[in-house]
């Protein structure tokens, strides 16, 4: 269907061009120019759709994940300076390493995270923590988006910016990020100063280093564990990829039933 749409648009442009030459009045020319611009915008949308399909096909070529995506771990992870929501006193913690330009991270944010939030985060059973893992080699805007989320977070708007970024993954340019920050209620001048100074670049790189140390190879990746005090969490489970809600539910309920490994 998308190929047919591109052919129709291309044919429309080829039909419009001779008419432009023959047009006599300025009103006709103006109307035709507007129609051509509209067609160009349509072609641009199709090109973005094609790129999304290419990205999806590329991901499908990767080796299939193991049948059970939840595997036991034995490691500690720092929660220092990470953005979190949910029960501050919750013993159970879910840490997500994510990339704002990753389509699978976007799918998790839109489809699965709201369910986790309703059942576990808003009820105080779970602390949900976000860490940065921008995969710059395949997502050139991801690092800048991560910095933008951190800069918005300086003004108490991290989660609002989180929603904006995952809701607009095809538009993560500098001007786009500034607009999203303003829409969240962040003060534009402070946001710009933070971005221009690369205030949080070191923090994003530190998250990247910790992700590498944890053996993470793709996004999103989740670590489910229990707090140990001192801003540390002992990892009990790893969940790889944008898994459906029942996978998270089974892992979380299992730990809750065990008293969160107390």
């Amino acid at each position: 269907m998308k190929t047919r749409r591109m052919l129709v648009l291309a044919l429309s442009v080829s039909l419009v061009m001779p008419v432009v030459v023959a047009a006599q009045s300025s009103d006709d020319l103006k109307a035709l120019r507007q129609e051509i611009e509209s067609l160009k915008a349509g072609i641009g949308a199709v090109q973005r759709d094609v790129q999304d399909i290419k990205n999806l096909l590329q991901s499908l070529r990767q080796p299939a994940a193991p049948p059970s995506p939840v595997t036991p771990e034995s490691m500690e992870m720092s929660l220092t300076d990470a953005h979190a929501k949910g029960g501050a006193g919750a013993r159970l913690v879910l840490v997500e390493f994510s990339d704002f330009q990753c389509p699978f991270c976007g799918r998790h944010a839109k489809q699965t995270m709201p369910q986790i939030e309703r059942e576990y985060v808003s009820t105080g059973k779970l602390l949900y923590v976000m860490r940065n893992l921008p995969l710059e080699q395949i997502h050139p805007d991801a690092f800048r988006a991560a910095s933008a989320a951190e800069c918005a977070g300086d003004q108490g708007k991290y989660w609002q910016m989180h929603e904006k970024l995952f809701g607009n993954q095809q538009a993560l340019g500098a001007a786009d990020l500034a607009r999203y920050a303003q829409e969240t209620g962040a003060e534009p001048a402070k946001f710009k100063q933070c971005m221009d100074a690369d205030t949080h670049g070191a923090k994003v790189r530190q998250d990247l280093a910790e992700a590498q140390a944890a053996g993470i190879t793709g996004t999103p990746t989740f670590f489910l564990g229990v707090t140990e005090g001192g801003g540390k969490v002992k990892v009990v489970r790893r969940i790889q990829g944008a898994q459906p809600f029942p996978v998270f539910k089974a892992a979380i309920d299992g730990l809750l039933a065990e008293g969160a490994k107390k």
Side-chain angles (χ1 to χ4, degrees):
M1 292 300 292
K2 293 184 182 297
T3 301
R4 185 182 300 172
R5 182 180 169 194
M6 290 181 69
L7 290 173
V8 171
L9 288 170
L11 179 60
S12 299
V13 173
S14 67
L15 292 174
V16 168
M17 293 306 294
V19 181
V20 173
V21 177
Q24 298 298 317
S25 70
S26 60
D27 288 342
D28 289 340
L29 287 171
K30 183 178 179 180
L32 288 169
R33 288 193 188 100
Q34 291 175 344
E35 185 174 353
I36 290 171
E37 290 303 317
S38 176
L39 288 169
K40 286 180 179 179
I43 292 172
V46 172
Q47 289 173 332
R48 289 192 294 272
D49 289 342
V50 170
Q51 186 59 50
D52 286 345
I53 292 173
K54 287 181 178 178
N55 291 338
L56 179 59
L57 290 174
Q58 182 180 5
S59 69
L60 291 175
R61 295 190 190 104
Q62 300 300 319
S68 174
V70 182
T71 56
E73 296 291 332
S74 179
M75 60 183 291
E76 283 189 344
M77 190 165 289
S78 173
L79 303 181
T80 304
D81 295 330
H83 294 280
K85 62 164 60 176
R91 182 138 167 83
L92 197 59
V93 181
L94 182 64
V95 181
E96 176 184 356
F97 279 85
S98 194
D99 175 321
F100 286 110
Q101 204 174 358
C102 160
F104 301 104
C105 300
R107 186 174 72 189
H108 171 82
K110 295 170 189 174
Q111 298 179 9
T112 307
M113 184 174 172
Q115 298 180 75
I116 296 173
E117 199 162 344
R118 282 194 300 270
E119 189 158 338
Y120 301 105
V121 177
S122 63
T123 57
K125 298 177 182 177
L126 179 74
L127 185 67
Y128 198 103
V129 177
M130 284 291 296
R131 302 289 299 276
N132 299 295
L133 183 50
L135 305 177
E136 296 178 88
Q137 290 185 340
I138 57 175
H139 300 142
D141 296 326
F143 194 100
R144 177 172 51 196
S147 295
E150 296 292 341
C151 285
D154 287 347
Q155 300 187 49
K157 304 296 181 181
Y158 177 84
W159 292 104
Q160 294 90 328
M161 192 65 162
H162 172 282
E163 183 177 352
K164 288 284 184 183
L165 296 173
F166 277 128
N168 298 276
Q169 289 187 299
Q170 299 298 326
L172 297 176
D176 299 311
L177 299 177
R179 183 174 74 256
Y180 303 151
Q182 187 169 7
E183 289 172 356
T184 68
E187 205 282 317
K190 289 182 180 179
F191 178 82
K192 183 178 185 303
Q193 182 180 11
C194 180
M195 292 293 290
D196 290 347
D198 191 25
T199 302
H200 294 291
K203 177 182 178 180
V204 176
R205 293 183 187 93
Q206 179 61 34
D207 280 0
L208 279 165
E210 293 192 25
Q212 278 189 323
I216 299 175
T217 57
T219 54
T221 295
F222 306 85
F223 293 94
L224 185 63
V226 293
T227 56
E228 291 199 317
K232 296 284 186 181
V233 57
K234 180 181 179 182
V235 174
V236 181
R237 300 281 188 274
R238 177 199 294 251
I239 302 176
Q240 183 68 49
Q243 300 295 332
F245 176 68
V247 172
F248 290 92
K249 180 175 176 60
I252 295 170
D253 285 350
L255 285 180
L256 289 174
E258 295 178 33
K261 297 285 185 179
K262 286 185 179 179

